[in-house]
Amino acid sequence: MDGIFSNRLVMLPLFILLGVVVGSFLNVCIDRLPERQSLFRPRSHCPVCQHRLAISDLIPLFSYLWLRRRCRYCGAPIPQRLFWVELVTALLFAFLWCSYGPGVQLGILLAYGCLFIVIFVIDLERGLILNRLVYPAALLTLALVPLRPELTIVNSLIGGGIGLALLLLPVIVFRGGIGWGDVKMAGLIGLATGSPVVFTAIISAIIVGGLIAGILLLLSVKKRGDTIPFGPFLCLGAMAGLLWGSTIYDWYIGLFS
Ligand SMILES: [Zn+2]
């Protein structure tokens, strides 16, 4: 075991803890951003009985399990999503830390990971991709390009254009399910991944989204005509693109040569 690897293991519990705490904050963002509420005030309270939550009610992951998924004050069920977002954020932090170690790349991937978790859940729950998230993220993405050796501004802008173009056609042709929020999101993904990785990200989102939609129809979980939000698949495709984009792209091109 080399030095770097063992150092990463030493820091791993700290990153899991950080991930759990950040996940708890992402839950606040998911609840409050669509309502245009402040992220910091009022303090956390039960949405049913309005009782302000004590510190012991707010310990990520553990409070949920300890309180047996119910509000301590009124017994209203606590949404499972709170637990899953905290868990997934913790796993993401652990995975990225182990894969990348300290550095700018880690910071950038953590930021995108958090952003995409928030967009994923809001679109799943409300069928909305907020401009309030996508526009600032697009500006920040361009500002961060100089820190990323694999990307240039021109390449990022070309990627953004390709992302927009790839989803424009499905939006105009199919309607329903895919909307303008998805088009802007695809533009953001293109800015973040550049070209040609944007193809990997968007096309994997379309393939996985199509497969899952097909399975949901087969299992009668969804009926024909129901809408299935596309944003979550775009989020998954974007993360796959950022993490393994060029590898997947090379493999794909290799199939034809
Ligand atoms: Zn309550």
Side-chain angles (χ1 to χ4, degrees), residues 48-250:
V48 178
C49 67
Q50 308 299 328
H51 197 292
R52 183 183 280 186
L53 301 182
I55 297 292
S56 58
D57 303 322
L58 290 167
I59 303 165
L61 296 180
F62 292 100
S63 294
Y64 178 84
L65 298 173
W66 173 251
L67 297 172
R68 304 197 181 174
R69 305 184 219 162
R70 290 194 171 274
C71 168
R72 185 204 298 270
Y73 310 100
C74 69
I78 302 172
Q80 286 190 18
R81 180 256 287 169
L82 299 183
F83 177 83
W84 290 111
V85 166
E86 286 161 0
L87 184 66
V88 167
T89 311
L91 292 175
L92 177 81
F93 272 57
F95 169 73
L96 290 177
W97 167 253
C98 290
S99 309
Y100 294 90
V104 175
Q105 206 178 9
L106 174 72
I108 289 176
L109 288 171
L110 285 176
Y112 279 122
C114 292
L115 172 75
F116 292 140
I117 287 174
V118 172
I119 293 178
F120 183 111
V121 180
I122 292 179
D123 197 22
L124 196 67
E125 292 184 346
R126 301 172 187 249
L128 271 182
I129 298 179
L130 301 176
N131 291 338
R132 235 160 311 151
L133 286 169
V134 173
Y135 292 161
L139 288 177
L140 198 64
T141 293
L142 288 173
L144 288 176
V145 166
L147 297 176
R148 300 174 56 194
E150 77 278 17
L151 212 57
T152 63
I153 286 282
V154 174
N155 190 257
S156 167
L157 289 171
I158 293 175
I162 293 173
L164 289 175
L166 282 175
L167 277 207
L168 212 52
L169 193 67
V171 165
I172 293 169
V173 175
F174 296 117
R175 324 283 308 160
I178 298 183
W180 291 108
D182 299 301
V183 178
K184 294 174 207 164
M185 173 76 181
L188 167 65
I189 293 172
L191 289 177
T193 56
S195 174
V197 174
V198 60
F199 288 105
T200 318
I202 306 285
I203 290 172
S204 10
I206 292 174
I207 292 173
V208 175
L211 279 175
I212 301 276
I215 291 171
L216 291 179
L217 277 175
L218 272 180
L219 298 177
S220 304
V221 178
K222 292 273 178 185
K223 295 188 298 291
R224 218 163 257 288
D226 283 352
T227 51
I228 297 168
F230 188 53
F233 301 109
L234 283 172
C235 291
L236 293 176
M239 267 331 262
L242 286 169
L243 293 171
W244 310 293
S246 39
T247 314
I248 301 175
Y249 184 79
D250 291 345

